[in-house]
């Protein structure tokens, strides 16, 4: 299906991304007076994109190179949507009919671990990797010297030790890290446990909105609460969300329970992850009902070619819905985790981000043409 690549933008950069080089951070910044056992307070004053780079993107990673929430379910292949940022709003040529206010925030922020905590991370994550050695995508990522970036002059033996033992920044942990909490925007406050002298705060992976990565500038200030770890029983960070949030009063809420997200009817016991996945799949299926298949005006004698092209476009609406849920200011809540066997999780989509009505009606949903997202240059989905 190379015809598609000649007409639409490609997502080969997502397909081929070197994931050993993600999350180059600003820092570590030593905070004078911070000692192990203290609580580092970080007030986020502002998060803005670079003036000359008013854009971001949302991508679906390849199953074999990064994966994602539905990597196995969708047998994920690379797709992406580019978002143009206009002040506080974002819109995309790849998902037309949608415009939303951003909640700019750092995807990654946290203190440095002590040597003991780092060893704990490597031990527990190493055991998980060993138990699922052939998992695709991987269940965790071990230290990897390839692409390791320390950013200062160090003896070769120290640099080698960091590469072999230093934790990857992909997951969040006790120190904070890559938690992608969208409400850590301007005006929010973070309380981080301190594990080493100076706290060594690092920050990066800025987002315009959740899942929408970009380069930019973050401004913050710090203070210290002595002995805060003991005072607050601080095993992981505590956050106070920003008082500034996009005002979307009406939301369409999708429910998910701990059952049947593979379509096989399997019952899970109080599994909130399964329930969340089902809520997201329900939302994606609903949004697909509000889209129309795009059939290109290409004259070909081969009926098989036309059929393959139509099927390929049939799948594109799903990828667009998936990308939209990754970037838009959606809200998810755990509704119930007490009534076995079904945990209940909800996912809410603000209806105001659409320029058309997506509410359920007697006559069904209006079919609209949403074009397509950027796919691989070889047309594979």
């Amino acid at each position: 299906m190379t015809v598609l690549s000649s007409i639409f933008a490609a997502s080969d950069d997502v397909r081929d991304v070197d994931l050993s080089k993600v999350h180059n951070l600003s820092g570590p910044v030593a905070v004078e007076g911070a000692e192990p056992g203290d609580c580092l307070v970080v007030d986020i004053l502002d998060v803005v994109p670079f003036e000359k780079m008013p854009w971001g993107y949302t991508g679906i990673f390849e199953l074999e190179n990064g994966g994602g929430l539905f990597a196995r379910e969708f047998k994920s292949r690379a797709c992406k949507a580019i978002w143009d940022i206009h002040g506080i709003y974002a819109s995309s040529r790849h998902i037309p009919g949608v415009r939303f206010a951003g909640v700019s925030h750092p995807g990654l922020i946290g203190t440095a671990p002590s040597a003991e905590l780092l060893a704990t991370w490597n031990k527990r994550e190493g055991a998980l990797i060993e138990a699922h050695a052939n998992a695709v995508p991987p269940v965790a990522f071990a230290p990897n010297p390839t692409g390791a970036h320390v950013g200062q002059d160090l003896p070769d033996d120290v640099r080698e030790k960091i590469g072999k033992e230093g934790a990857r920044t992909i997951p969040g942990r006790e120190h904070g890290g890559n938690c992608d909490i969208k409400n850590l925007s301007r005006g929010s406050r973070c309380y981080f446990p301190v594990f080493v002298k100076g706290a060594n705060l690092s920050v990066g992976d800025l987002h315009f909105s959740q899942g929408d990565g970009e380069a930019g500038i973050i401004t913050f200030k710090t203070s210290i609460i002595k002995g805060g770890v003991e005072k607050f029983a601080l095993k992981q960070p505590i956050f106070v969300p920003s008082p500034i949030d996009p005002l979307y009063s009406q939301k369409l809420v999708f429910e998910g329970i701990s059952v049947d997200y593979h379509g096989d009817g399997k019952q899970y016991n109080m599994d909130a992850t399964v329930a969340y996945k089902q809520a997201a799949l329900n939302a994606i299926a609903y949004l697909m009902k509000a889209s129309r298949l795009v059939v290109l005006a290409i004259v070909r004698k081969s009926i098989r070619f036309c059929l393959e092209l139509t099927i390929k476009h049939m799948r594109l609406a799903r990828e667009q819905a998936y990308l939209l849920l990754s970037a838009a200011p959606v809200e998810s809540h755990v509704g119930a985790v007490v009534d076995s066997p079904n945990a209940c999780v909800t996912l809410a989509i603000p209806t105001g981000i659409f320029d058309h009505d997506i509410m359920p009606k007697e006559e069904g949903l209006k079919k609209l043409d949403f074009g397509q997202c950027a796919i691989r240059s070889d047309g594979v989905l």
Side-chain angles (χ1 to χ4, degrees):
M1 296 304 152
T2 55
V3 173
L4 300 180
S5 66
S6 66
I7 301 174
F8 301 104
S11 60
D12 293 2
D13 51 349
V14 176
R15 179 194 64 189
D16 303 329
V17 63
D18 182 353
L19 293 176
S20 71
K21 298 180 180 179
V22 298
H23 292 158
N24 289 333
L25 306 179
S26 294
V29 177
V31 179
E32 186 175 353
E35 300 285 347
D38 291 345
C39 171
L40 180 68
V41 183
V42 180
D43 290 299
I44 297 177
L45 306 181
D46 204 4
V47 184
V48 296
F50 288 137
E51 186 176 347
K52 294 183 179 180
M53 298 175 62
W55 60 274
Y57 73 95
T58 310
I60 298 176
F61 287 121
E62 295 271 316
L63 173 63
E64 298 83 5
N65 188 31
L69 180 65
F70 294 120
R72 283 176 290 179
E73 290 80 7
F74 287 0
K75 295 183 174 63
S76 291
R77 294 295 177 259
C79 296
K80 92 180 162 188
I82 296 173
W83 299 91
D84 297 305
I85 299 169
H86 306 280
I88 66 170
Y89 290 100
S91 59
S92 175
R93 70 205 77 169
H94 297 121
I95 310 177
V98 173
R99 177 176 179 262
F100 55 81
V103 190
S104 298
H105 62 281
L108 194 157
I109 183 170
T111 53
S114 63
E116 295 76 16
L117 182 57
L118 177 60
T120 297
W121 291 352
N122 285 334
K123 181 179 179 180
R124 73 189 187 199
E125 293 174 19
L128 182 65
I129 293 169
E130 185 177 357
H132 302 273
N134 298 317
V136 178
V139 295
F141 295 87
N144 183 0
T146 302
H149 180 66
V150 181
Q152 55 186 298
D153 292 328
L154 293 170
D156 290 341
D157 60 331
V158 174
R159 186 176 294 277
E160 183 179 359
K161 182 178 177 65
I162 291 173
K164 290 181 178 180
E165 300 178 14
R168 300 285 293 278
T169 58
I170 292 173
R173 301 181 180 91
E174 289 88 337
H175 69 311
N178 187 34
C179 295
D180 288 336
I181 300 173
K182 73 178 180 65
N183 297 105
L184 294 187
S185 52
R186 182 178 58 174
S188 63
R189 173 171 286 185
C190 314
Y191 299 85
F192 293 107
V194 175
F195 302 102
V196 298
K197 183 177 180 180
N200 287 355
L201 180 72
S202 294
V203 60
D205 187 28
L206 302 188
H207 296 241
F208 175 79
S209 191
Q210 188 57 61
D212 188 358
E214 65 173 65
I217 301 169
I218 181 170
T219 307
F220 58 85
K221 69 175 184 178
T222 63
S223 56
I224 302 167
I225 298 177
K226 303 301 293 183
V229 168
E230 176 65 27
K231 289 176 181 177
F232 311 134
L234 199 62
K235 293 186 67 175
Q236 280 93 37
I238 298 172
F239 304 104
V240 177
S242 169
I244 302 172
D245 211 15
L247 184 60
Y248 293 110
S249 56
Q250 184 184 66
K251 296 177 181 178
L252 195 57
V253 181
F254 297 86
E255 178 184 325
I257 57 176
S258 306
V259 66
D260 192 32
Y261 77 97
H262 282 302
D264 56 6
K266 182 177 179 180
Q267 178 71 62
Y268 297 80
N269 181 38
M270 301 304 291
D271 193 322
T273 300
V274 170
Y276 175 80
K277 282 190 170 185
Q278 193 192 67
L281 287 171
N282 291 342
I284 290 171
Y286 183 92
L287 292 173
M288 287 174 66
K289 287 291 186 180
S291 64
R292 178 171 64 82
L293 298 184
V294 183
V295 181
L296 298 180
I298 301 175
V299 179
R300 289 290 296 266
K301 294 182 180 180
S302 171
I303 296 176
R304 180 180 178 184
F305 175 86
C306 295
L307 178 60
E308 288 177 350
L309 186 62
T310 303
I311 291 173
K312 192 164 290 291
H313 277 285
M314 187 180 295
R315 296 185 61 201
L316 290 177
R318 181 180 69 179
E319 275 73 23
Q320 286 174 308
Y322 189 5
L323 289 167
L324 177 59
L325 293 186
S326 297
V330 301
E331 295 282 351
S332 181
H333 298 282
V334 177
V337 287
V338 295
D339 300 317
S340 296
N342 281 326
C344 177
V345 174
T346 61
L347 186 148
I349 304 175
T351 60
I353 70 175
F354 298 92
D355 65 6
H356 53 280
D357 188 359
I358 68 163
M359 294 299 291
K361 289 186 174 57
E362 177 74 22
E363 63 274 18
L365 299 173
K366 185 177 181 181
K367 303 292 184 180
L368 297 171
D369 181 352
F370 291 117
Q372 76 173 46
C373 53
I375 63 173
R376 292 167 38 151
S377 61
D378 56 14
V380 174
L381 270 174

